[in-house]
């Protein structure tokens, strides 16, 4: 695993040398853009918007646009010094909280934490302490020149660090357009909706979910590579309408559909007893 960050995490007087490894990866199929006439890849040049000249990397500086067309140029040496000053500091866990107190909207990127040389014992101690207390640690870390708030928690037999957004990075729900303040929900509709949720409730098994579009795209690509004819995927069944006039009918139809697919709760319970 590639090391993203190397440093230490501390809580109290305990210091743990650690390495950070990305816990997830983007599996999107990357498509290139080609020139239609000759099928050559399209390249992108860095061009100055004023003189229209192509600019080399060494002639580019970083700046902050504080108002339209007005910039503060930041010296690269200043940025490096600022980065070094912060990265040299140990990541300190400042608070311990319950995981359920953090809404998922705050979570950003996930990393595995691995102990570095000499850190195995302290790593195991923090893992055990977090597990027994059912708490997670809140810390700050500098990654790619950005200070991040982070949550340190136990995942299976490892420690995990998840960067989380600061409150001012989360947009206000009040700004979401067309959200009804209050709606007269009919009790009969609500009862059927709750029954539908109950029918579809199941233990979370991530392995059963697949990226069907990616699989179909790769099949198409492989077929074209082999010179075979491509096939059209079967059309999916259109979802039931959900406007106010036929909401109840849609809920009832959904409930009937899931009831056919899924055995009744009592039957599932009886089957489990037989297996036991």
């Amino acid at each position: 695993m590639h090391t993203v960050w190397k440093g230490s995490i501390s809580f109290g007087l305990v210091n743990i040398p650690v390495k950070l490894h990305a816990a997830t990866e983007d599996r999107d199929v990357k498509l290139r853009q080609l020139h239609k006439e000759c099928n050559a890849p399209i390249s992108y040049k860095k061009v100055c918007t004023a003189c229209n000249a192509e600019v080399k990397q060494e002639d580019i500086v970083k700046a902050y646009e504080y108002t339209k067309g007005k910039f503060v140029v930041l010296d690269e040496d200043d940025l490096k010094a600022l980065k070094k000053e912060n990265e040299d500091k140990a990541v300190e866990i400042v608070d311990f909280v319950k995981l359920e107190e953090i809404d998922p909207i705050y979570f950003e990127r996930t990393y595995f934490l691995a102990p570095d040389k000499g850190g195995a014992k302290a790593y195991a101690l923090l893992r055990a302490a977090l597990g027994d207390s059912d708490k997670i640690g809140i810390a700050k870390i500098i990654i790619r020149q950005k200070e991040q708030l982070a949550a340190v928690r136990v995942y299976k037999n490892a420690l995990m660090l998840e960067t989380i957004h600061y409150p001012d990075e989360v947009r206000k729900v009040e700004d979401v357009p067309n959200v009804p303040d209050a709606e007269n929900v009919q009790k009969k509709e609500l009862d059927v909706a709750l029954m539908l949720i109950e029918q579809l409730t199941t233990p979370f098994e991530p392995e059963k979910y697949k990226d069907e579009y990616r699989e179909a795209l790769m099949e198409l690509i492989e077929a074209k590579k082999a010179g075979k004819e491509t096939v059209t995927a079967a059309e999916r069944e259109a979802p039931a309408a959900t406007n106010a006039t036929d909401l109840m009918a849609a809920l009832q139809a959904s409930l009937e559909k899931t009831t056919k697919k899924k055995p009744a709760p009592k039957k599932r319970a009886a089957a489990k007893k037989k297996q036991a």
Side-chain angles (χ1 to χ4, degrees):
M1 266 188 186
H2 173 69
T3 300
V4 177
W5 180 91
K6 186 176 179 180
S8 63
I9 287 182
S10 66
F11 67 106
L13 298 177
V14 179
N15 190 68
I16 313 166
V18 292
K19 293 179 179 179
L20 213 59
H21 308 279
T24 59
E25 59 182 326
D26 184 359
R27 300 296 298 273
D28 284 350
V29 179
K30 306 295 183 184
L31 300 179
R32 293 288 305 275
Q33 292 185 325
L34 306 180
H35 183 202
K36 188 177 180 180
E37 298 299 322
C38 61
N39 290 332
I42 302 297
S43 64
Y44 295 90
K45 297 179 180 180
K46 295 177 181 179
V47 178
C48 175
T49 56
C51 56
N52 207 33
E54 186 176 349
V55 183
K56 295 180 181 179
Q57 184 60 42
E58 58 265 28
D59 295 325
I60 297 174
V61 295
K62 293 181 180 178
Y64 175 75
E65 188 174 14
Y66 61 92
T67 190
K68 189 68 175 177
K70 300 285 186 179
F71 303 90
V72 172
V73 176
L74 300 171
D75 187 271
E76 196 65 34
D77 291 336
D78 290 336
L79 291 175
K80 285 181 180 179
L82 188 62
K83 180 183 175 184
K84 185 76 167 69
E85 178 185 343
N86 285 277
E87 285 187 342
D88 282 348
K89 297 177 181 177
V91 178
E92 183 183 3
I93 296 176
V94 292
D95 290 309
F96 291 95
V97 302
K98 289 276 189 180
L99 178 60
E100 56 267 28
E101 292 176 353
I102 305 176
D103 191 279
I105 195 173
Y106 284 95
F107 290 107
E108 188 180 13
R109 288 291 306 272
T110 305
Y111 300 91
F112 288 127
L113 279 169
D116 206 353
K117 292 179 181 179
K121 188 173 182 179
Y123 181 98
L125 172 64
L126 178 58
R127 180 182 60 190
L130 289 176
D132 289 354
S133 65
D134 196 26
K135 300 280 178 66
I136 65 170
I138 300 297
K140 285 186 178 181
I141 183 172
I142 300 283
I143 301 177
R144 298 187 182 96
Q145 299 183 5
K146 181 185 177 184
E147 184 179 73
Q148 302 259 204
L149 201 59
V152 179
R153 67 184 182 92
V154 177
Y155 177 74
K156 296 185 177 180
N157 69 330
L159 287 177
M160 179 175 280
L161 182 142
E162 293 183 85
T163 55
I164 55 181
H165 293 289
Y166 285 99
D168 60 357
E169 293 177 317
V170 178
R171 291 176 176 174
K172 294 179 180 178
V173 70
E174 292 82 8
D175 295 336
V176 181
N178 305 321
V179 176
D181 291 329
E183 193 74 20
N184 185 20
V185 177
Q186 300 295 320
K187 186 179 185 305
K188 191 180 291 185
E189 294 172 348
L190 180 59
D191 288 342
V192 177
L194 291 172
M195 288 173 66
L196 176 58
I197 290 173
E198 179 59 31
Q199 286 289 343
L200 292 174
T201 298
T202 181
F204 179 59
E205 298 172 0
E207 295 78 13
K208 76 177 185 180
Y209 303 105
K210 295 181 179 179
D211 187 339
E212 295 176 4
Y213 174 79
R214 188 181 75 206
E215 290 183 353
L217 179 58
M218 288 308 302
E219 286 176 8
L220 175 64
I221 291 169
E222 291 301 323
K224 281 186 171 288
K225 278 173 61 179
K228 298 177 182 177
E229 290 293 324
T230 59
V231 294
T232 304
E235 291 186 4
R236 289 189 178 186
E237 185 180 336
T242 55
N243 58 47
T245 56
D246 57 8
L247 178 59
M248 189 64 186
L251 286 168
Q252 193 65 49
S254 300
L255 186 62
E256 289 172 2
K257 188 175 179 181
T258 56
T259 303
K260 290 176 184 177
K261 289 183 179 180
K262 203 169 183 179
K266 289 183 180 179
K267 289 182 180 179
R268 292 203 306 269
K272 285 183 179 179
K273 286 182 179 179
K274 285 183 180 180
Q275 290 177 359

